[in-house]
Amino acid sequence: MAEPREVPALRRIVRLHLGLWGLYEVSEAAQLCVTELVSNVITHVGSGTPATLAVSMNGTRLRIEVHDPDARALPTLVEAGADSESGRGMALVDAVADRWGVLLYPDRKTTWCELSTQLSSSDGHSRGARVARAGAMLGVYGAT
């Protein structure tokens, strides 16, 4: 359920998972995106709305998705004034994410964003000298 009191816990969970994945460099941006995407559901669809957060890798990009059942309440970029009380959420996502969008289905929508990581390949290997030495060593073991 999308509830304001759950947002800090979601941020902590994302931070912990990204730490386990070694993606420290995108942790703050990812937490900001989670906060804004979930808050968007709370504000524009309603507190208590059934929603799902999904975090995954798409190649070398971290993908964050929030699924909710209202395909009519679409997130949009608006120009919020300095004294506006709302309207900055998707602008923040747009500022920190490499890309974002909305997927519409008959009974739900998925709002997503992607953040570049420092990974140079989708399998997480940096292709550096250490990886090359380890690969050569494994090749020696494989040949014997």
Short mmCIF file of all heavy atoms in Angstrom, two decimals, residues 37 40-41 45 63-68 70-77 90 93 99-105 108-114:
data_model
loop_
_atom_site.label_atom_id
_atom_site.label_comp_id
_atom_site.label_asym_id
_atom_site.label_seq_id
_atom_site.Cartn_x
_atom_site.Cartn_y
_atom_site.Cartn_z
N LEU A 37 8.54 8.85 -6.90
CA LEU A 37 7.59 8.01 -7.63
C LEU A 37 6.49 7.49 -6.70
O LEU A 37 5.31 7.48 -7.08
CB LEU A 37 8.31 6.85 -8.32
CG LEU A 37 9.29 7.24 -9.44
CD1 LEU A 37 9.97 5.99 -10.00
CD2 LEU A 37 8.61 8.03 -10.53
N ASN A 40 4.22 10.34 -5.68
CA ASN A 40 3.32 10.69 -6.79
C ASN A 40 2.04 9.84 -6.73
O ASN A 40 0.94 10.35 -6.94
CB ASN A 40 4.05 10.48 -8.11
CG ASN A 40 3.67 11.51 -9.14
OD1 ASN A 40 3.39 12.65 -8.81
ND2 ASN A 40 3.67 11.10 -10.38
N VAL A 41 2.20 8.56 -6.43
CA VAL A 41 1.03 7.69 -6.29
C VAL A 41 0.18 8.15 -5.11
O VAL A 41 -1.05 8.28 -5.22
CB VAL A 41 1.45 6.21 -6.12
CG1 VAL A 41 0.24 5.33 -5.80
CG2 VAL A 41 2.15 5.70 -7.37
N VAL A 45 -3.05 9.48 -6.80
CA VAL A 45 -3.96 8.34 -6.88
C VAL A 45 -4.65 8.14 -5.54
O VAL A 45 -5.84 7.88 -5.48
CB VAL A 45 -3.23 7.04 -7.32
CG1 VAL A 45 -4.21 5.89 -7.43
CG2 VAL A 45 -2.52 7.26 -8.66
N ARG A 63 17.09 0.18 -12.85
CA ARG A 63 15.71 0.52 -13.22
C ARG A 63 14.84 0.48 -11.97
O ARG A 63 14.86 -0.49 -11.22
CB ARG A 63 15.19 -0.44 -14.27
CG ARG A 63 13.80 -0.06 -14.78
CD ARG A 63 13.40 -0.97 -15.92
NE ARG A 63 12.07 -0.71 -16.39
CZ ARG A 63 11.76 0.03 -17.45
NH1 ARG A 63 12.71 0.60 -18.16
NH2 ARG A 63 10.52 0.20 -17.81
N ILE A 64 14.08 1.53 -11.77
CA ILE A 64 13.15 1.63 -10.65
C ILE A 64 11.76 1.76 -11.25
O ILE A 64 11.53 2.61 -12.12
CB ILE A 64 13.47 2.86 -9.78
CG1 ILE A 64 14.89 2.74 -9.21
CG2 ILE A 64 12.43 3.04 -8.67
CD1 ILE A 64 15.42 4.01 -8.60
N GLU A 65 10.84 0.92 -10.79
CA GLU A 65 9.46 0.95 -11.28
C GLU A 65 8.50 1.02 -10.10
O GLU A 65 8.72 0.36 -9.08
CB GLU A 65 9.13 -0.32 -12.07
CG GLU A 65 9.95 -0.54 -13.29
CD GLU A 65 9.58 -1.84 -14.01
OE1 GLU A 65 8.82 -2.67 -13.44
OE2 GLU A 65 10.06 -2.03 -15.14
N VAL A 66 7.44 1.79 -10.29
CA VAL A 66 6.33 1.80 -9.33
C VAL A 66 5.07 1.49 -10.12
O VAL A 66 4.75 2.17 -11.09
CB VAL A 66 6.21 3.16 -8.59
CG1 VAL A 66 4.96 3.18 -7.73
CG2 VAL A 66 7.45 3.40 -7.74
N HIS A 67 4.39 0.43 -9.71
CA HIS A 67 3.16 -0.03 -10.37
C HIS A 67 1.97 0.39 -9.51
O HIS A 67 2.00 0.20 -8.29
CB HIS A 67 3.16 -1.56 -10.50
CG HIS A 67 4.40 -2.10 -11.14
ND1 HIS A 67 4.45 -2.46 -12.45
CD2 HIS A 67 5.64 -2.33 -10.64
CE1 HIS A 67 5.66 -2.91 -12.74
NE2 HIS A 67 6.40 -2.84 -11.65
N ASP A 68 0.94 0.95 -10.13
CA ASP A 68 -0.29 1.27 -9.41
C ASP A 68 -1.49 1.03 -10.31
O ASP A 68 -1.34 0.93 -11.53
CB ASP A 68 -0.25 2.70 -8.85
CG ASP A 68 -0.43 3.77 -9.91
OD1 ASP A 68 -1.57 3.95 -10.39
OD2 ASP A 68 0.56 4.42 -10.26
N ASP A 70 -4.09 2.85 -11.27
CA ASP A 70 -4.81 3.94 -11.93
C ASP A 70 -4.08 4.38 -13.20
O ASP A 70 -3.09 5.11 -13.14
CB ASP A 70 -4.98 5.12 -10.99
CG ASP A 70 -5.95 6.16 -11.52
OD1 ASP A 70 -6.23 6.17 -12.73
OD2 ASP A 70 -6.42 6.97 -10.71
N ALA A 71 -4.59 3.96 -14.35
CA ALA A 71 -3.97 4.30 -15.63
C ALA A 71 -4.38 5.70 -16.10
O ALA A 71 -3.94 6.14 -17.15
CB ALA A 71 -4.35 3.26 -16.69
N ARG A 72 -5.19 6.40 -15.31
CA ARG A 72 -5.63 7.74 -15.71
C ARG A 72 -4.78 8.84 -15.11
O ARG A 72 -4.61 9.89 -15.71
CB ARG A 72 -7.10 7.96 -15.33
CG ARG A 72 -8.05 7.00 -16.05
CD ARG A 72 -9.43 7.03 -15.43
NE ARG A 72 -9.31 6.52 -14.06
CZ ARG A 72 -9.98 6.99 -13.02
NH1 ARG A 72 -10.84 7.95 -13.16
NH2 ARG A 72 -9.81 6.48 -11.82
N ALA A 73 -4.26 8.63 -13.91
CA ALA A 73 -3.45 9.65 -13.22
C ALA A 73 -2.01 9.54 -13.69
O ALA A 73 -1.22 8.79 -13.14
CB ALA A 73 -3.55 9.46 -11.71
N LEU A 74 -1.67 10.29 -14.74
CA LEU A 74 -0.34 10.18 -15.35
C LEU A 74 0.62 11.23 -14.78
O LEU A 74 0.26 12.40 -14.66
CB LEU A 74 -0.45 10.37 -16.86
CG LEU A 74 -1.32 9.36 -17.58
CD1 LEU A 74 -1.38 9.68 -19.07
CD2 LEU A 74 -0.82 7.95 -17.35
N PRO A 75 1.84 10.81 -14.47
CA PRO A 75 2.83 11.77 -14.00
C PRO A 75 3.27 12.66 -15.16
O PRO A 75 3.41 12.21 -16.29
CB PRO A 75 3.99 10.90 -13.52
CG PRO A 75 3.78 9.58 -14.16
CD PRO A 75 2.34 9.45 -14.47
N THR A 76 3.43 13.93 -14.87
CA THR A 76 3.85 14.88 -15.90
C THR A 76 4.86 15.86 -15.32
O THR A 76 4.92 16.07 -14.10
CB THR A 76 2.65 15.70 -16.44
OG1 THR A 76 2.02 16.36 -15.34
CG2 THR A 76 1.64 14.82 -17.13
N LEU A 77 5.64 16.44 -16.19
CA LEU A 77 6.54 17.51 -15.80
C LEU A 77 5.76 18.81 -15.83
O LEU A 77 5.13 19.14 -16.83
CB LEU A 77 7.70 17.62 -16.78
CG LEU A 77 8.82 16.60 -16.65
CD1 LEU A 77 9.83 16.79 -17.77
CD2 LEU A 77 9.50 16.71 -15.30
N MET A 90 8.32 15.04 -10.34
CA MET A 90 8.80 14.48 -11.59
C MET A 90 9.94 15.32 -12.17
O MET A 90 10.79 14.80 -12.89
CB MET A 90 7.66 14.31 -12.60
CG MET A 90 6.67 13.23 -12.20
SD MET A 90 7.39 11.64 -11.66
CE MET A 90 8.17 11.08 -13.17
N VAL A 93 12.91 13.78 -10.54
CA VAL A 93 13.21 12.50 -11.21
C VAL A 93 13.87 12.78 -12.56
O VAL A 93 14.88 12.16 -12.91
CB VAL A 93 11.94 11.63 -11.38
CG1 VAL A 93 12.21 10.43 -12.27
CG2 VAL A 93 11.41 11.19 -10.02
N ARG A 99 16.69 8.61 -17.83
CA ARG A 99 15.43 8.61 -18.58
C ARG A 99 14.33 8.09 -17.68
O ARG A 99 14.59 7.43 -16.69
CB ARG A 99 15.54 7.79 -19.86
CG ARG A 99 15.98 6.36 -19.66
CD ARG A 99 16.27 5.70 -20.98
NE ARG A 99 16.66 4.31 -20.76
CZ ARG A 99 16.99 3.49 -21.72
NH1 ARG A 99 16.98 3.90 -22.97
NH2 ARG A 99 17.33 2.26 -21.45
N TRP A 100 13.10 8.43 -18.04
CA TRP A 100 11.94 7.95 -17.29
C TRP A 100 10.75 7.91 -18.23
O TRP A 100 10.77 8.50 -19.31
CB TRP A 100 11.66 8.82 -16.07
CG TRP A 100 11.20 10.22 -16.35
CD1 TRP A 100 11.97 11.32 -16.57
CD2 TRP A 100 9.84 10.66 -16.46
NE1 TRP A 100 11.19 12.41 -16.80
CE2 TRP A 100 9.87 12.04 -16.74
CE3 TRP A 100 8.60 10.02 -16.34
CZ2 TRP A 100 8.72 12.80 -16.91
CZ3 TRP A 100 7.45 10.79 -16.50
CH2 TRP A 100 7.51 12.15 -16.78
N GLY A 101 9.72 7.21 -17.81
CA GLY A 101 8.53 7.13 -18.62
C GLY A 101 7.40 6.42 -17.89
O GLY A 101 7.51 6.08 -16.71
N VAL A 102 6.33 6.20 -18.63
CA VAL A 102 5.14 5.56 -18.10
C VAL A 102 4.70 4.49 -19.09
O VAL A 102 4.63 4.75 -20.29
CB VAL A 102 4.00 6.57 -17.88
CG1 VAL A 102 2.76 5.89 -17.32
CG2 VAL A 102 4.44 7.71 -16.99
N LEU A 103 4.42 3.30 -18.59
CA LEU A 103 3.83 2.23 -19.39
C LEU A 103 2.38 2.09 -18.98
O LEU A 103 2.09 1.93 -17.79
CB LEU A 103 4.58 0.92 -19.16
CG LEU A 103 6.07 0.92 -19.51
CD1 LEU A 103 6.73 -0.37 -19.04
CD2 LEU A 103 6.26 1.10 -21.00
N LEU A 104 1.48 2.15 -19.94
CA LEU A 104 0.05 2.06 -19.64
C LEU A 104 -0.49 0.69 -20.02
O LEU A 104 -0.17 0.16 -21.08
CB LEU A 104 -0.71 3.14 -20.40
CG LEU A 104 -0.38 4.57 -20.03
CD1 LEU A 104 -1.13 5.54 -20.93
CD2 LEU A 104 -0.73 4.83 -18.57
N TYR A 105 -1.31 0.18 -19.15
CA TYR A 105 -2.02 -1.09 -19.36
C TYR A 105 -3.50 -0.82 -19.09
O TYR A 105 -3.84 0.19 -18.47
CB TYR A 105 -1.48 -2.16 -18.40
CG TYR A 105 0.01 -2.36 -18.53
CD1 TYR A 105 0.89 -1.71 -17.66
CD2 TYR A 105 0.55 -3.18 -19.51
CE1 TYR A 105 2.26 -1.88 -17.78
CE2 TYR A 105 1.91 -3.35 -19.64
CZ TYR A 105 2.76 -2.70 -18.77
OH TYR A 105 4.12 -2.86 -18.88
N ARG A 108 -3.78 -0.77 -15.14
CA ARG A 108 -2.72 -0.24 -14.28
C ARG A 108 -1.72 0.57 -15.11
O ARG A 108 -1.79 0.60 -16.32
CB ARG A 108 -2.00 -1.36 -13.55
CG ARG A 108 -1.17 -2.25 -14.47
CD ARG A 108 -0.64 -3.47 -13.74
NE ARG A 108 0.35 -4.19 -14.51
CZ ARG A 108 0.10 -4.92 -15.58
NH1 ARG A 108 -1.14 -5.02 -16.03
NH2 ARG A 108 1.06 -5.57 -16.21
N LYS A 109 -0.78 1.18 -14.40
CA LYS A 109 0.33 1.84 -15.06
C LYS A 109 1.61 1.52 -14.31
O LYS A 109 1.59 1.16 -13.13
CB LYS A 109 0.12 3.34 -15.16
CG LYS A 109 0.32 4.11 -13.88
CD LYS A 109 0.22 5.61 -14.12
CE LYS A 109 0.27 6.40 -12.84
NZ LYS A 109 -0.93 6.27 -12.02
N THR A 110 2.71 1.67 -15.00
CA THR A 110 4.04 1.53 -14.42
C THR A 110 4.80 2.81 -14.73
O THR A 110 4.97 3.17 -15.89
CB THR A 110 4.80 0.33 -15.00
OG1 THR A 110 4.07 -0.87 -14.72
CG2 THR A 110 6.20 0.23 -14.44
N THR A 111 5.21 3.50 -13.69
CA THR A 111 6.06 4.67 -13.85
C THR A 111 7.48 4.21 -13.53
O THR A 111 7.71 3.58 -12.50
CB THR A 111 5.64 5.81 -12.91
OG1 THR A 111 4.24 6.07 -13.10
CG2 THR A 111 6.43 7.08 -13.19
N TRP A 112 8.41 4.48 -14.42
CA TRP A 112 9.77 3.96 -14.27
C TRP A 112 10.80 5.05 -14.53
O TRP A 112 10.53 6.06 -15.17
CB TRP A 112 10.01 2.79 -15.23
CG TRP A 112 9.84 3.17 -16.68
CD1 TRP A 112 8.69 3.14 -17.40
CD2 TRP A 112 10.85 3.69 -17.55
NE1 TRP A 112 8.92 3.59 -18.68
CE2 TRP A 112 10.23 3.93 -18.80
CE3 TRP A 112 12.20 3.97 -17.41
CZ2 TRP A 112 10.94 4.44 -19.89
CZ3 TRP A 112 12.91 4.49 -18.49
CH2 TRP A 112 12.27 4.70 -19.71
N CYS A 113 12.00 4.79 -14.02
CA CYS A 113 13.15 5.62 -14.35
C CYS A 113 14.38 4.73 -14.34
O CYS A 113 14.38 3.65 -13.75
CB CYS A 113 13.29 6.80 -13.40
SG CYS A 113 13.71 6.37 -11.71
N GLU A 114 15.41 5.19 -15.01
CA GLU A 114 16.67 4.46 -15.06
C GLU A 114 17.83 5.39 -14.74
O GLU A 114 17.85 6.54 -15.18
CB GLU A 114 16.87 3.81 -16.43
CG GLU A 114 15.91 2.68 -16.69
CD GLU A 114 16.11 1.99 -18.01
OE1 GLU A 114 16.82 2.53 -18.90
OE2 GLU A 114 15.56 0.89 -18.17
#
